């Protein structure tokens, strides 16, 4: 078995596209939630809240030939991967193009604008809006494929389109590809672009927040007065590498990925099950050879839905009791779907190195139906730990747990 380390990281989020920006907003309690006035045109739509990335533009050096097959989700994924490769000292290194580096990357779906063009064709019988690149923008593996083509990577491609676990499964399957000797390096992560259609998915389930006139007060993970989730967007990439390969080239190492667990509930598509969540976390602990008391911080999935928060909190409590610090990044960014697992892994590793972990925004009165955990609030807490866990749970009952160790 090979050891797997993180040698490069980058993220694009509603609260910043550098760790310095993100941390400043976390400390100030400044979220990325906005009132989306452009959604007012949708009749019978309850939520008007979203978390857009407001500072992303296509990089000037991304020419048309390389980007004509990319919608916004693939553009963000490719741009953030370029940053992560640069952070790892691998950008422009032709050796990664010989098949030793692969891609394991996810999103819930492709670009909605391209999907809309096909929908218009089916509804109106008019294919004028369809061109040779329409499907390439629409397909669920658009991010993974476009990353591979842009950087001329010839290793395996693992597209993870599993809703809220797309990013964390991308990281986990990349870890396994290196651990079992199939690849030396992997681009791993996930991305999502904000679209009212994705908010509508949860709106129909009455799972979205309707605090439309007070966006700064929502979402409220684990809070008694929460009223649902908010959809966001972003992208996150980790560069994973076999330890010996990283050491041989003198790479800086941020962390070692030592545990991964994933399973499925097998019972209901939209009603999470606490027991299988617990099992996924136990699987990650078993993979890492650890007991629960080794974990110093848990990055919660924390969507601010009743079923999700309650099930997750009780699953966590059943393993860890009440003493392991936990907080929810989605309280600041909204639910970034395919990107959340990667963004939460990135920020958790950064916080581990800073010996500080953020609080959960808007968590004022803990829901008595949630299990008694050590919920971080306010400006967070200074914590020195060498091992953290990052959890995500998705539609379809898909559960993931990742464990990182400080290097």
């Amino acid at each position: 078995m090979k050891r797997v380390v993180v040698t490069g990281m980058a993220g694009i989020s509603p609260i910043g596209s550098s760790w310095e920006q993100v941390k400043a907003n976390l400390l100030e309690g400044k979220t990325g939630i906005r009132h989306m006035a452009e959604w007012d045109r949708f009749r019978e739509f309850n939520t008007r809240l979203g978390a857009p990335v407001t500072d992303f533009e296509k990089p000037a050096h991304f020419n048309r030939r390389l980007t004509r097959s990319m919608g916004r989700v693939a553009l963000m994924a490719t741009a953030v991967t370029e940053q992560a490769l640069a952070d790892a000292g691998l950008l422009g290194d032709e050796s990664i193009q010989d098949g030793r580096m692969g891609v394991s990357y996810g999103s819930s779906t492709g670009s909605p604008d391209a999907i809309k063009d096909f929908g218009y064709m089916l509804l109106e019988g008019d294919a004028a809006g369809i061109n040779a690149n329409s499907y390439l923008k629409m397909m669920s593996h658009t991010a993974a494929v476009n990353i591979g083509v842009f950087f001329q990577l010839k290793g395996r491609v693992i597209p993870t389109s599993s809703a809220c676990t797309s990013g964390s499964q991308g990281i986990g399957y990349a870890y396994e590809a290196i651990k079992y000797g199939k690849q030396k390096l992997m681009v791993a992560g996930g991305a999502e672009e904000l679209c009212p259609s994705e908010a509508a998915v949860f709106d129909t389930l009455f799972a979205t927040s309707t605090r439309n006139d007070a966006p700064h007060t929502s979402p409220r993970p684990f809070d008694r007065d929460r009223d649902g989730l908010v959809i966001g967007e972003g992208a996150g990439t980790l560069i994973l590498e076999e330890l010996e390969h990283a050491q041989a080239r003198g790479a800086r190492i941020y962390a070692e990925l030592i545990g991964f667990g994933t399973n499925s509930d097998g019972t209901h598509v939209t009603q999470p099950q606490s027991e299988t969540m617990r099992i996924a976390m136990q699987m990650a602990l078993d993979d890492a050879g650890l007991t629960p008391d080794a974990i110093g911080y848990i990055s919660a999935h924390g969507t601010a839905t009743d079923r999700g928060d309650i099930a997750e909190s009780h699953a966590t409590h059943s393993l860890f009791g009440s003493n392991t610090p936990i907080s929810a990044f989605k309280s600041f960014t909204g639910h970034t779907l395919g990107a959340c697992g990667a963004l939460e892994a990135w920020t958790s590793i950064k916080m581990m190195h800073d010996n500080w972990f953020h609080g959960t925004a808007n968590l004022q009165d803990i829901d008595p139906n949630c299990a008694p955990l050590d919920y971080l609030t306010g400006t967070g807490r200074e914590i020195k730990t060498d091992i953290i866990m990052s959890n995500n749970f998705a539609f379809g009952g898909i559960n993931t747990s990742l464990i990182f160790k400080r290097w």
Side-chain angles (χ1 to χ4, degrees):
M1 300 297 177
K2 307 295 184 181
R3 293 172 67 182
V4 182
V5 294
V6 181
T7 56
M9 301 188 294
I12 296 171
S13 86
I15 59 169
S17 299
S18 70
W19 172 238
E20 291 72 26
Q21 281 182 305
V22 169
K23 185 176 181 180
N25 284 320
L26 292 171
L27 281 166
E28 293 174 21
K30 185 177 180 181
T31 78
I33 314 304
R34 304 285 184 270
H35 182 279
M36 305 295 289
E38 56 268 44
W39 292 359
D40 288 343
R41 66 189 182 92
F42 299 112
R43 296 185 300 275
E44 300 182 12
F45 203 44
N46 298 308
T47 191
R48 296 291 186 276
L49 298 179
V53 172
T54 58
D55 61 350
F56 176 74
E57 294 183 2
K58 183 179 77 171
H61 62 283
F62 279 29
N63 62 49
R64 182 182 178 280
R65 181 182 65 82
L66 291 171
T67 60
R68 59 192 174 191
S69 60
M70 298 184 192
R72 180 173 171 85
V73 63
L75 279 170
M76 287 195 293
T78 305
V80 81
T81 296
E82 183 177 61
Q83 295 170 28
L85 285 168
D87 188 47
L90 292 168
L91 188 62
D93 186 339
E94 294 182 359
S95 71
I96 66 173
Q97 299 171 356
D98 64 1
R100 74 181 65 190
M101 174 173 266
V103 181
S104 183
Y105 214 91
S107 62
S108 297
T109 185
S111 285
D113 281 348
I115 297 171
K116 180 180 67 177
D117 291 340
F118 281 98
Y120 183 82
M121 181 194 77
L122 294 172
L123 287 170
E124 303 297 331
D126 183 354
I130 307 297
N131 61 44
N133 292 302
S134 296
Y135 174 69
L136 303 178
K137 295 177 181 179
M138 179 185 78
M139 62 190 187
S140 60
H141 58 312
T142 185
V145 167
N146 274 294
I147 288 169
V149 171
F150 191 91
F151 298 106
Q152 301 177 51
L153 306 178
K154 299 177 179 66
R156 59 177 57 189
V157 173
I158 307 171
T160 51
S161 183
S162 57
C164 321
T165 54
S166 298
S168 51
Q169 278 199 325
I171 295 168
Y173 293 155
Y175 157 75
E176 290 182 337
I178 298 172
K179 179 179 180 178
Y180 295 109
K182 305 303 181 182
Q183 299 283 173
K184 293 291 187 183
L185 308 101
M186 292 290 289
V187 170
E192 204 77 51
E193 65 178 276
L194 183 62
C195 180
S197 64
E198 292 182 328
V201 169
F202 295 92
D203 214 54
T204 60
L205 296 170
F206 303 101
T208 51
S209 175
T210 57
R211 292 173 175 253
N212 298 322
D213 297 326
H216 61 286
T217 67
S218 195
R220 311 175 70 87
F222 308 111
D223 191 85
R224 179 193 63 192
D225 298 320
R226 68 188 178 281
D227 73 329
L229 56 75
V230 176
I231 295 297
E233 66 175 347
T237 295
L238 272 58
I239 304 302
L240 302 187
E241 191 167 350
E242 179 191 297
L243 173 60
E244 291 180 0
H245 187 277
Q247 290 176 326
R249 68 180 187 87
R252 173 189 52 199
I253 297 173
Y254 286 107
E256 183 176 2
L257 177 45
I258 59 173
F260 171 56
T262 186
N263 65 3
S264 59
D265 295 343
T267 54
H268 198 282
V269 175
T270 60
Q271 295 181 14
Q273 304 297 308
S274 184
E275 176 59 13
T276 35
M277 289 178 171
R278 182 194 67 78
I279 292 171
M281 289 184 265
Q282 183 65 62
M283 290 169 68
L285 288 168
D286 292 344
D287 188 40
L290 299 175
T291 55
D293 61 341
I295 305 298
Y297 167 79
I298 299 169
S299 174
H301 189 56
T303 58
T305 60
D306 288 346
R307 288 183 181 275
D309 285 2
I310 293 170
E312 177 179 4
S313 67
H314 284 276
T316 305
H317 185 267
S318 68
L319 265 181
F320 296 95
S322 302
N323 298 322
T324 304
I326 186 170
S327 60
F329 189 62
K330 292 179 185 67
S331 62
F332 287 89
T333 63
H335 195 337
T336 57
L337 300 173
C340 70
L343 288 174
E344 289 159 18
W346 170 54
T347 53
S348 294
I349 293 169
K350 285 291 191 181
M351 289 188 293
M352 179 166 55
H353 278 277
D354 287 355
N355 299 318
W356 168 86
F357 293 86
H358 70 78
T360 297
N362 299 311
L363 179 52
Q364 298 172 345
D365 296 294
I366 296 167
D367 181 356
N369 292 312
C370 288
L373 301 174
D374 185 9
Y375 298 99
L376 301 183
T377 60
T379 57
R381 187 185 304 166
E382 291 186 4
I383 301 169
K384 181 172 174 51
T385 180
D386 291 329
I387 305 176
I388 59 97
M389 172 180 280
S390 183
N391 296 326
N392 293 106
F393 312 106
F395 271 3
I398 303 170
N399 309 307
T400 61
S401 183
L402 296 164
I403 299 176
F404 296 94
K405 182 178 181 180
R406 183 203 299 257
W407 191 263

